Structures are given as C-alpha cells and as structure tokens.
C-alpha cells in the first residue's frame, strides 16, 4: 500500500495531482461554461433564492471553508459566513429561510460537524455536505452535496482532502457564479485555469528537495509564524496547523498585516516567519509586511512564484512554486507547506502518520 513512501502522509501529498483530477472529473462543462454537480438535489430555481451561505466545519476543513468564503463572495457575489461547528451547534444566530448550509468534512463523522448540521436541518434550512467518505453519517444526513473522490486518507494530518475541498469549492463558486453574474466568457476562462491545477500541483511537488533543505535548517526552532493575505491567509492558518499537529512545534497563522497589532512582538532570531506570497494584487503590501519582520531580525522563508527574483534578495530562504491566478493559489501554495511540516516532523523523530493526542476522525464532542 505504501509503495515507495516512508509514510502515508508523504504518499498522500504526492497523490494530489491524481486526487485533484478525480475531484474535477466529469464536473466541468465547457459547453455551458460552468461546473456540473450530480448530487446537490437543488434546482437552479432553488439556488437563485439563496441569499446567504454558511459553511461549518472543524480544523483543516474549517480552513478550506475560509477559502470557500473568499471564492464564493468574489466569484458568485453571495454573502458567506464560516462557523466552527463546535460553536455553531450551541449558538442561535438569526438565519432566514434563504440561508443554505454546507458542512465540510473529510471523514463525514466529526461529531461537532454532524451536530451543527442536525441543528441547522432541524431549523428547516437546506443542508449540503462537502465530504470525502462515501456513505458517512454526514453524507447520509445532508439533503445533498458534493463528494470529493480524493480516495482514502490514512495519514491523520489532512493533505489531499484539503486540496480537494478547495477545488470542489472553486467548482461550486463557478457554478453559483454562472447562475448569477458570471458571463459565459469568464466561466470559460475559469475552466481553462482550473484544468491546469493538477499539472501545477505536480510542479509544486518538485519543491520537495528544497523543502527538506529548509526543514534541516529550521527544525530546531520552537516557534513559527505563517503569514499571508487574501487567498493566502487561510493557507497561512493551514500551514501553521500542519506544523503544530505533526511536529509539536508551536506555530501561528495570521493575516500578514495583523502582525503590527501585537504578534510582531514575538519576532526574534529564533522565530522564522513563513510568508505565502505568490504574485497577485496584494504582493507589494505583503512585501512591506515582510520587510517589517526582517527589520526586527526575524528569519523569513518565502513561498513565492517561480521567476520572482526580487524575493530572493530579501528572504533568507525561498521555496518556489508555479504561479497561478489568485483564486487557485490556496491549492498550489498548500503543497510546500505540507512538505515542510512533513520533513520537520520526520527530522524531529515524530510519528507523522499518527501524531500524539490525535485521531483521524473526532467522533466525540
Ligand atoms: C488536520 C485535521 C483535523 C480535521 C478535523 C475535521 O489535519 O485532520 O483538523 O480536519 O478534525 O475533520 P473532518 O474533515 O473529517 O471533519
């Protein structure tokens, strides 16, 4: 089963070009310039009545929900909220009948996510699941949804399910966008970009050797910061969680510009900052956030676009990834962050597939 890999986590990281192909298979219609879903069980008429979407999830799936918020608000212009399932289940937020709920979950068995879904369903809202495990509790109880088809994920740290969640949410944004404001031409252009994703991920995996080198250099640090803005902010949160859970190193993710409101006090020579900064409209702003860290003596590891020579002059280490449009960057940028955490954990002698205190599916609240 493990083939040539030392751990399931590494195998699953390298499976991503394939798992992403499986997530998008049969779901892109060039003719209609939109995405196609078989299992939503909602008609276009139903979907036009939706005025608000709530995503609920835990952990890594909560991070993909944040990516989904950015995607759907930008591309489909529908207001989105993201709620921790453990909070939503005991809150009583006002929601009118035009609110659509999505539970996002790899396992489909997370107790809090299931309870939040049940509570929303009880209130009469249509509930959807974005789920990997076919026939799981959440998949069964939701009124409809989208299966990821990423294949079984054995490593406790979620990798390929995360990238597939981000991709499924991109397809959902395209579909909802095409029901509303998005033109035929823009839909077609999105499809062209989306089809490139598996190859871009394949290229991003070539950063493995560099990630290992960077891991060697920083493996003994006890604190890490992960920083990014816009679509790369949820990626920063996810990078920090991956490091925490498998290497037991303390890490925090922040929107890069929030640093000056407190966390910058943490910066010193022993606290590396991982900047997620492929090209995009926010690049210059992130660059000045990076300079603020350098000015305080903090080492900087940059995840940047191939061909970005300027970053090599300011960052201590650069991990290059292929450039893509902003809304697809979460998928491509996640790859080196997964690899970096993996190598740091292995170098520190941690059991990456079964980290302490964690279980693959959290079926207790
Ligand atoms: C992190 C991780 C957890 C899960 C969380 C939700 O790598 O695996 O944070 O993402 O427990 O699990 P699912 O997606 O199965 O609901």
């Amino acid at each position: 089963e493990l083939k040539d890999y030392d751990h399931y986590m590494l195998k699953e990281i390298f499976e991503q070009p394939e798992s992403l192909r499986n997530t998008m298979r049969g779901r892109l219609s060039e003719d209609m310039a939109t995405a196609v879903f078989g299992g939503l069980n909602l008609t276009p008429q139903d979907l036009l009545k939706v005025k608000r979407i709530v995503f609920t999830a835990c952990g890594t799936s909560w991070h993909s929900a944040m990516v989904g918020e950015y995607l759907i608000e930008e591309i489909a212009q529908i207001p989105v909220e993201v709620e921790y399932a453990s909070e939503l289940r005991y809150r009583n937020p006002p929601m009118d009948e035009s609110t659509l709920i999505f539970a996002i979950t790899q396992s489909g068995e997370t107790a809090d996510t299931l309870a939040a879904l049940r509570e929303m369903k009880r209130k009469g809202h249509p509930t959807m699941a974005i789920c990997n495990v076919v026939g799981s509790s959440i998949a069964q109880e939701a009124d409809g949804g989208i299966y990821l088809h990423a294949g079984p994920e054995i490593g406790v740290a979620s990798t390929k399910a995360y990238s597939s969640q981000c991709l499924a949410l991109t397809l959902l944004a395209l579909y909802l966008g095409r029901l509303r404001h998005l033109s035929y031409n823009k839909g077609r252009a999105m499809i062209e970009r989306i089809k490139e994703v598996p190859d871009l991920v394949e290229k991003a995996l070539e950063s493995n050797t560099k990630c290992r080198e960077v891991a060697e250099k920083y493996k003994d640090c006890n604190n890490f910061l992960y920083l990014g803005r816009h679509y790369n902010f949820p990626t920063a949160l996810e990078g920090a969680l991956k490091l925490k859970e498998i290497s037991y190193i303390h890490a925090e993710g922040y929107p890069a510009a929030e640093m000056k409101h407190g966390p910058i006090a943490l910066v010193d020579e022993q606290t590396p900052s991982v900047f997620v900064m492929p090209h995009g409209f926010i690049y210059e702003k992130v660059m000045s956030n990076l300079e603020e860290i350098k000015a305080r003596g903090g080492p900087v590891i940059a995840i940047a676009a191939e061909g970005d020579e300027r970053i090599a002059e300011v960052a201590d280490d650069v991990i290059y990834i292929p450039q893509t449009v902003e809304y697809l960057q979460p998928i491509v940028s996640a790859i080196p962050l997964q690899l970096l955490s993996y190598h740091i954990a292995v170098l520190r002698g941690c059991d990456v597939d079964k980290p302490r205190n964690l279980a693959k599916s959290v079926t207790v609240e």
Side-chain angles (χ1 to χ4, degrees), residues 252-264:
E252 304 249 21
Y254 284 103
E258 276 296 303
M259 289 302 288
K260 54 184 158 309
H261 303 288
I264 201 160

Side-chain angles (χ1 to χ4, degrees), residues 122-226:
R122 190 194 58 74
K123 288 184 156 187
H125 295 290
T127 55
M128 301 284 117
I130 296 180
C131 185
N132 195 36
V133 177
V134 176
S136 56
S137 305
I138 291 172
Q140 286 187 39
E141 291 199 25
D143 301 314
I146 304 171
Y147 277 125
L148 299 176
H149 302 306
E153 194 180 61
I154 312 278
V156 162
S158 186
T159 53
K160 64 176 182 172
Y162 176 73
S163 54
S164 282
Q165 287 167 344
C166 293
L167 180 60
L169 288 160
T170 311
L171 300 178
L172 182 65
L174 169 62
Y175 178 62
L176 295 174
R178 288 284 292 130
L179 285 175
R180 295 167 188 242
H181 319 270
L182 201 70
S183 68
Y184 182 88
N185 282 350
K186 287 196 171 140
R188 279 297 284 258
M190 262 190 89
I191 289 179
E192 288 314 304
R193 297 280 82 79
I194 292 170
K195 286 197 310 197
E196 295 167 356
V197 166
D199 291 339
L200 295 174
V201 166
E202 194 93 59
K203 286 211 189 74
L205 287 165
E206 290 170 14
S207 68
N208 188 35
T209 312
K210 180 69 190 177
C211 291
R212 166 92 192 191
E213 270 169 46
V214 173
E216 293 269 3
K217 183 164 163 191
Y218 295 97
K219 68 178 193 312
D220 296 321
C221 296
N222 291 319
N223 293 288
F224 275 73
L225 293 163
Y226 283 76

Side-chain angles (χ1 to χ4, degrees), residues 57-63 104-111 113 130 132-133 138 153 155-159 161-162 165 238 241-242 245-246 358-362:
C58 304
T60 286
S61 298
W62 187 85
H63 296 150
I104 306 182
T105 169
Q106 187 288 126
S107 63
E109 302 297 346
T110 303
T113 311
I130 296 180
N132 195 36
V133 177
I138 291 172
E153 194 180 61
V156 162
S158 186
T159 53
Y162 176 73
Q165 287 167 344
E238 174 57 9
L241 178 61
K242 284 290 89 92
E245 63 182 336
I246 61 166
L358 291 172
K360 183 63 185 163
S361 65
V362 184

Side-chain angles (χ1 to χ4, degrees), residues 1-3 5-15 152-157 159-160 342 352-354:
E1 260 266 349
L2 262 177
K3 291 184 211 144
Y5 296 101
D6 290 341
H7 300 94
Y8 282 105
M9 182 181 178
L10 191 62
K11 174 173 177 267
E12 287 160 7
I13 292 172
F14 274 87
E15 269 169 15
E153 194 180 61
I154 312 278
V156 162
T159 53
K160 64 176 182 172
Y342 171 79
V352 290
D353 282 338
K354 286 198 172 30

